[in-house]
Amino acid sequence: MKAAIQHTNGDPTSSDVLSVDDVSIPEPKEGTILVKVACASLNPIDYKLVSGEFPGSKEGPFGADLSGTVEKIGIGYDGPLKVGDKCYADAIGTKGSFAEYAIVNTEALSSMPKNLTFKEAASLPLAGLTALQALQTHGNLQPGQRVAIL
């Protein structure tokens, strides 16, 4: 499969830093699912990880947010998703959404709403988590409270 691979921190437009390479399709392990990627989205954190603005070297598969189809399920999963189901996910813990296939932790993916396109679903994971954290963690939103979204 083709996959975006980060080799070192630096300018993301340099092939010394990022390249598209032929790699093996990963195998899901316990607690993970292999997704055939339909769409992936780019977030500011992706740029910061590659450029080195975020601490530490980040070598290996690149990208986090994705949508696609469940291809293969790792052992021990008894959730609602089945092979062939449309899904969307945050693969920041496993990395590699900019690829034809990606491994995702089972707790970081969900069934794709029927009214969304693959493009729309791929844009949700990190942005949605950020909004949720803003309300719950920083806004101290409690059960029963309401929020006006304008």
Side-chain angles (χ1 to χ4, degrees):
M1 73 167 184
K2 299 277 188 201
I5 304 295
Q6 181 177 348
H7 305 287
T8 186
N9 291 107
D11 178 0
T13 64
S14 167
S15 60
D16 293 333
V17 175
L18 275 178
S19 63
V20 176
D21 298 339
D22 287 312
V23 297
S24 298
I25 296 173
E27 279 294 317
K29 295 178 175 43
E30 185 173 359
T32 65
I33 289 178
L34 178 66
V35 176
K36 181 174 175 55
V37 177
C39 288
S41 65
L42 188 64
N43 293 288
I45 191 65
D46 297 314
Y47 175 83
K48 291 177 181 180
L49 288 169
V50 172
S51 68
E53 289 180 42
F54 209 75
S57 177
K58 310 293 187 269
E59 296 175 3
F62 175 67
D65 290 359
L66 63 91
S67 65
T69 307
V70 174
E71 183 77 11
K72 192 171 183 182
I73 297 172
I75 59 170
Y77 176 74
D78 62 355
L81 290 171
K82 307 286 184 246
V83 171
D85 287 352
K86 293 179 181 179
C87 63
Y88 67 116
D90 177 359
I92 193 75
T94 51
K95 300 191 295 183
S97 67
F98 295 111
E100 293 177 286
Y101 295 88
I103 294 290
V104 179
N105 290 323
T106 56
E107 68 273 1
L109 86 158
S110 184
S111 163
M112 197 172 98
K114 290 179 179 20
N115 64 334
L116 294 182
T117 66
F118 282 117
K119 285 182 185 179
E120 292 166 337
S123 72
L124 291 176
L126 183 60
L129 181 59
T130 301
L132 181 64
Q133 287 174 334
L135 293 171
Q136 290 181 338
T137 305
H138 303 291
N140 200 26
L141 186 66
Q142 300 298 314
Q145 290 182 314
R146 294 180 179 201
V147 175
I149 300 175
L150 307 173

